[in-house]
Amino acid sequence: MDLAPTPEQRAYRDEVRALLDTDEVRAETAAVRTRPGTEGGLLDIYRRLGERGLLAPNWPREYGGSGLGIAEKAILTEELIAHGVPDIAHTLSVDIVGLALLLYGTDRQKSRLLPPIARGESVAGVLFSEPEAGSDLGALRTRAERDGDGWRLSGRKVYSAKTQLADFALCAARTTESEVPFHGITVFLVPLRPPGVAVEPLWNIGDERFNEVTLSGIRVTEEDVLGTVDDGWGVIGEILGLERTGIEFQAKARRWLDAALERTGAEGLAPAEADRLVALDADVRAARLLAWRCVDDLHAGRSDEVRSAMAKYWAGETGREVALAASGAAGLDALLAGDDEESLGHGVLEAACREAPGLTLASGTSEVMLTVIASAGLGLLA
Amino acid sequence: MDVTLAAEHQELREQVTEILGDELAPLIRRMADRPRHGAAPDDAEIRALVWQALTGMGALGLNQSPAPGDRRGLRGLAVLAERLGEVLYQGPLLDTVLASEALLRCAPDPGRERLLKEIAEGASVAAAVRDGGVRPYDAPLAAGATGDTVGAERRFVGFAAEADWLLVPGRTADGVHRTALVRRDQPGVHLRRHEELGRGELYAVRLADAPVTFWLTPEGDAETAWHELIASARTLQAAYLVGLARGALRLGADRLKERRQFGGALAKQQAPAFQLARLATRVDAAHLLTQQAAWEGDTGRDHRLTAGQALAMAATLAQDTGRDVLHLHGAHGMTDASDAQLFYRRATVESRVLGSPARVRADVMPLLWERGPAD
Ligand SMILES: Cc1cc2nc3c(=O)[nH]c(=O)nc-3n(C[C@H](O)[C@H](O)[C@H](O)COP(=O)(O)OP(=O)(O)OC[C@H]3O[C@@H](n4cnc5c(N)ncnc54)[C@H](O)[C@@H]3O)c2cc1C
């Protein structure tokens, strides 16, 4: 076990930090945090990272990346979050959609869609969840009806992040009715700008809005299929599994805990609060180790669904707990929002309390993770 | 030992439940919530209606017993507070009854009687107690040289903009505890609404040489009276939080019955059902401990330890219930359209306004070793 980063990884982190530790980035981040409703999308900082090939560091150079490894990608995520840069556009576009394209995309799809994302000029979204299909994604009802050499998509997708800014999204739809569970689903690359696609906000407590996306017969072709027709379930499982390292969740927990530690100091805390913070710090450190174990697995070409479920479960639960406990220890002022003139650190802990409930729901709920650990890990629930 | 509510409190509970009934509950929940997106609903009418209904049923006089020194009202108030929490009522009611509680502890005086009468007739009071840090009590207070003005900075003062009076306790530079009653519409009273997690009616209050109508001088030892008042405040807040948890729990149970995944209602899954069953047990436990604190207060026993324990228990419970019920709603629970996020946000704020559970426990900890044997 060698927990030290390689010299290259350290150099990469330093490079990213140098880019993020600037007044411009601080100003841009603060602007997003102090004005509710102005969520970060195509941030300048994304473009600046993109210009240097740092936004999608693990992508091949031909698609705008730097040909680096998965560890550098994890480092970037940690640093974006540590610097308070909204990361969801990055996570969705680079980590989920980008990964899906790299794994399953045709050369044409990759060269058309990846470079604008890597340059920080385009965002991509994910249209999986539906009103009646959340944890039970296999129950999705969005239909792809055959139409000549293509399909027409109709259905309602909910809770998608960033689709109001995105050019296209991965969309899971039913191409074939089938008795076999999970068979007959196909993943499409759906353009979001044309007529036939309506994107409406579903406002929520967080800084990042959800959208309801209604597809009214929008036409797609073979060109827009990702992977194989009717075999989309495997695509979804693979990309969600590979993306699931918990890295972003532990990085958030770290940021929030550090904000509270900075605010409280060791003096003046009730002993029980101090005790709680020490325990939570240990939990966050363990979350980081669990996350980096998954990163190492991916680097070595392994992927272990139980380990990644553990990493996501632990980091999600810890992050949510940190938001509540850290803001509790820091006093009532910690609940002042970024747009209150007296807020602490642009309302970082208040925003944490609003973001926290999503940590145990997004990217696979805690219960879905426990199901994987119990069944695949322990042979239970059979 | 009879742990059920006395007949008069049962009756009161029924009366309050009728006034703040299930049809009205969804409207009351949204009272005073200012959404981050879109215009705030104009709820002045429903707010006035609820206030009238509560004062009309005598809520503000519950602790004003005709017999001097007889304070039988805390149990009744706790019953009321619990229902207020259950429907997520936001308003100056609990602060107002605490102000009358504080006045009742003062020596009889024409000024005091006038104020008590005004309160019983519907005047409202906002308690301006906290600073923004971690200690909710003992914020500094400066009495003017002539003694008829006060200077102080307070935060998280609920409904300051619409209350008739501000109750301002604090500690002067020479360490003396004093409490002033100030008319809100006086010069020298400055208010600013907080932008905060609950998005409710919480204000920063700055008093700069604000005229004091009445200095509250408790009968007997001022420190003891202050601590007893804190215990009463904790009891009522505990009751409010127990109610909040109960309301959230109901919302969660309804959601599990409605929401279908994996071919059936989520209510059929043991994991979420057990989660709510555990919380339901904690709600009953915290309810009884809160009632015990109120009973101790009403019967002249020292209720400081029980009140602190009940508040810490109820605060932790309310936070946990708000968090878990939101989670069990899935992403829908995070949307503005869902009341689950409302319970969660309010639970987070309300469970801290009288100090975090850890601090409240630390505060009452020495009393654990002074406690006599149980009755
Ligand atoms: C911040 C955030 C961002 C998101 N972004 C996107 C996006 O970009 N695109 C997209 O398609 N979706 C997105 N989602 C939606 C997300 O994928 C869903 O929230 C998730 O799949 C759960 O579905 P649900 O919310 O409908 O909850 P439900 O399935 O209704 O579940 C409700 C609760 O019950 C629990 N539960 C369900 N079944 C069981 C069971 N059998 N046993 C025990 N417990 C159970 C769940 O864990 C959950 O706590 C996002 C969600 C969040 C919070």
Side-chain angles (χ1 to χ4, degrees):
Chain A
M1 189 171 189
D2 182 0
L3 296 178
T6 64
E8 294 77 26
Q9 288 166 357
R10 196 185 295 277
Y12 175 77
R13 196 183 283 276
D14 288 344
E15 191 181 355
V16 173
R17 278 186 183 161
L19 265 172
L20 297 179
D21 271 334
T22 62
D23 289 340
E24 288 96 319
V25 174
R26 269 190 287 275
E28 189 177 25
T29 310
V32 175
R33 304 229 169 254
T34 47
R35 271 183 278 130
T38 54
E39 64 175 77
L42 290 163
L43 297 169
D44 271 348
I45 179 61
Y46 280 19
R47 274 190 271 266
R48 236 170 286 164
L49 287 161
E51 279 163 16
R52 293 166 174 77
L54 298 179
L55 189 61
N58 55 321
W59 292 5
R61 286 181 191 281
E62 58 180 309
Y63 301 128
S66 296
L68 297 169
I70 192 85
E72 282 77 8
K73 192 200 76 165
I75 288 170
L76 175 66
T77 302
E78 287 190 336
E79 290 301 323
L80 285 174
I81 290 169
H83 287 83
V85 178
D87 65 301
I88 294 197
H90 173 256
T91 305
L92 277 169
S93 306
V94 175
D95 293 355
I96 301 182
V97 180
L99 177 74
L101 276 160
L102 286 173
L103 287 175
Y104 292 97
T106 62
D107 286 346
R108 262 177 76 111
Q109 286 170 338
K110 286 190 276 199
S111 47
R112 180 166 63 92
L113 298 170
L114 290 178
I117 294 178
R119 288 196 299 270
E121 291 168 0
S122 173
V123 175
V126 173
L127 299 175
F128 289 170
S129 307
E130 296 183 5
E132 307 304 324
S135 304
D136 183 13
L137 192 55
L140 62 87
R141 293 182 185 172
T142 293
R143 295 216 168 276
E145 309 261 357
R146 261 292 172 195
D147 178 44
D149 62 348
W151 294 264
R152 288 202 176 269
L153 297 184
S154 309
R156 206 146 67 88
K157 295 287 186 179
V158 285
Y159 312 135
S160 62
K162 295 291 173 209
T163 32
Q164 78 277 22
L165 303 169
D167 295 311
F168 73 101
L170 295 185
C171 175
R174 190 161 286 288
T175 27
T176 304
E177 288 301 333
S178 171
E179 294 288 294
V180 186
F182 313 126
H183 178 76
I185 291 170
T186 302
V187 177
F188 293 96
L189 295 158
V190 178
L192 291 176
R193 307 269 192 228
V197 181
V199 182
E200 293 292 331
L202 285 174
W203 298 114
N204 69 37
I205 50 171
D207 286 330
E208 316 272 349
R209 73 189 239 194
F210 291 145
N211 292 300
E212 172 169 313
V213 177
T214 308
L215 306 168
S216 311
I218 178 179
R219 203 178 131 76
V220 287
T221 67
E222 296 279 354
E223 274 281 288
D224 304 308
V225 172
L226 189 72
T228 318
V229 173
D230 283 344
D231 266 346
W233 192 253
V235 177
I236 294 171
E238 170 116 22
I239 52 180
L240 290 185
L242 283 179
E243 171 266 337
R244 192 176 284 149
T245 58
I247 204 88
E248 69 274 38
F249 299 99
Q250 62 83 23
K252 283 175 195 193
R254 170 52 60 204
R255 174 161 188 262
W256 299 336
L257 188 58
D258 284 354
L261 293 175
E262 194 183 313
R263 160 82 181 157
T264 55
E267 308 297 317
L269 279 176
E273 273 166 347
D275 177 87
R276 187 86 196 94
L277 293 181
V278 175
L280 280 170
D281 187 71
D283 289 347
V284 177
R285 297 178 70 186
R288 186 163 191 239
L289 293 169
L290 286 166
W292 275 91
R293 182 170 71 171
C294 293
V295 172
D296 276 349
D297 280 347
L298 292 174
H299 178 67
R302 299 182 296 260
S303 103
D304 181 321
E305 65 168 334
V306 174
R307 287 176 167 205
S308 56
M310 285 177 168
K312 158 72 224 302
Y313 171 75
W314 181 279
E317 295 283 323
T318 299
R320 187 178 62 172
E321 197 51 34
V322 164
L324 293 172
S327 62
L332 272 178
D333 276 358
L335 298 183
L336 292 175
D339 50 339
D340 191 285
E341 60 193 51
E342 293 175 302
S343 68
L344 305 179
H346 302 308
V348 53
L349 292 173
E350 188 269 348
C353 290
R354 289 183 290 107
E355 189 174 356
L359 269 56
T360 54
L361 291 167
S363 303
T365 68
S366 287
E367 286 76 9
V368 170
M369 297 304 101
L370 292 175
T371 305
V372 173
I373 300 163
S375 51
L378 302 173
L380 304 175
L381 299 173
Chain B
M1 184 153 142
D2 182 0
V3 295
T4 54
L5 288 183
E8 59 182 303
H9 296 134
Q10 290 272 23
E11 203 179 303
L12 176 67
R13 179 147 85 178
E14 281 155 28
Q15 201 184 351
V16 185
T17 311
E18 202 177 304
I19 294 173
L20 307 175
D22 286 350
E23 328 73 66
L24 218 55
L27 285 175
I28 297 175
R29 278 182 205 153
R30 294 275 168 169
M31 254 170 45
D33 183 49
R34 304 194 189 193
R36 276 156 58 88
H37 307 283
D42 180 12
D43 58 7
E45 205 175 317
I46 165 119
R47 269 153 79 167
L49 214 80
V50 170
W51 181 257
Q52 270 164 25
L54 289 169
T55 52
M57 64 159 279
L60 293 175
L62 278 176
N63 56 346
Q64 298 196 25
S65 162
D70 175 13
R71 296 194 305 273
R72 243 182 285 163
L74 207 47
R75 265 169 300 172
L77 286 170
V79 166
L80 173 69
E82 199 173 308
R83 183 63 190 173
L84 295 178
E86 196 172 347
V87 295
L88 271 189
Y89 162 86
Q90 296 274 298
L93 192 85
L94 293 181
D95 279 3
T96 304
V97 291
L98 277 169
S100 67
E101 185 78 12
L103 283 165
L104 285 167
R105 288 168 195 274
C106 298
D109 166 295
R112 182 192 94 143
E113 308 315 320
R114 218 175 23 250
L115 288 164
L116 281 171
K117 187 157 169 287
E118 265 193 53
I119 289 177
E121 286 169 359
S124 60
V125 185
V129 185
R130 299 163 272 274
D131 63 12
V134 287
R135 291 191 59 86
Y137 322 106
D138 291 338
L141 173 148
T146 52
D148 49 12
T149 60
V150 66
E153 301 257 1
R154 295 291 182 270
R155 316 270 263 230
F156 296 89
V157 181
F159 292 84
E162 59 191 65
D164 300 300
W165 299 91
L166 297 170
L167 180 78
V168 194
R171 214 169 270 284
T172 58
D174 48 2
V176 179
H177 190 275
R178 300 195 70 182
T179 302
L181 206 57
V182 175
R183 279 202 77 90
R184 196 254 310 150
D185 57 4
Q186 294 291 301
V189 177
H190 306 280
L191 308 179
R192 187 178 64 78
R193 199 181 139 251
H194 290 306
E195 300 298 335
E196 43 78 40
L197 181 70
R199 295 202 308 264
E201 291 285 322
L202 289 173
Y203 289 81
V205 174
R206 191 165 59 81
L207 303 175
D209 291 326
V212 175
T213 305
F214 193 73
W215 284 105
L216 281 76
T217 317
E219 272 183 314
D221 178 44
E223 283 298 316
T224 311
W226 173 233
H227 286 294
E228 282 183 5
L229 189 68
I230 292 176
S232 295
R234 284 175 171 167
T235 306
L236 295 188
Q237 186 65 9
Y240 182 88
L241 289 162
V242 168
L244 188 155
R246 206 187 282 286
L249 187 67
R250 229 170 109 178
L251 193 76
D254 287 348
R255 175 75 183 174
L256 290 190
K257 288 177 205 158
E258 275 163 33
R259 175 71 169 161
R260 296 176 67 82
Q261 288 288 277
F262 303 105
L266 281 182
K268 290 197 191 301
Q269 303 283 350
Q270 263 190 2
F274 281 10
Q275 201 172 353
L276 291 191
R278 262 182 225 113
L279 289 168
T281 311
R282 287 173 62 188
V283 167
D284 272 21
H287 158 76
L288 289 173
L289 193 63
T290 304
Q291 277 294 324
Q292 162 140 9
W295 172 80
E296 287 175 1
D298 281 349
T299 52
R301 290 167 169 81
D302 181 353
H303 66 312
R304 290 174 301 159
L305 174 62
T306 319
Q309 288 175 317
L311 174 59
M313 183 187 282
T316 312
L317 164 70
Q319 177 77 83
D320 290 356
T321 312
R323 178 197 65 200
D324 290 355
V325 165
L326 194 167
H327 177 74
L328 290 175
H329 274 69
H332 169 67
M334 292 178 72
T335 61
D336 285 4
S338 168
D339 284 345
Q341 52 84 19
L342 200 59
F343 274 104
Y344 167 78
R345 287 189 290 112
R346 289 277 163 77
T348 306
V349 177
E350 292 289 346
S351 61
R352 299 174 188 182
V353 286
L354 295 188
S356 68
R359 273 170 194 281
V360 173
R361 288 194 186 101
D363 198 28
V364 296
M365 193 248 298
L367 300 168
L368 194 57
W369 283 271
E370 293 169 17
R371 178 178 53 187
D375 283 318

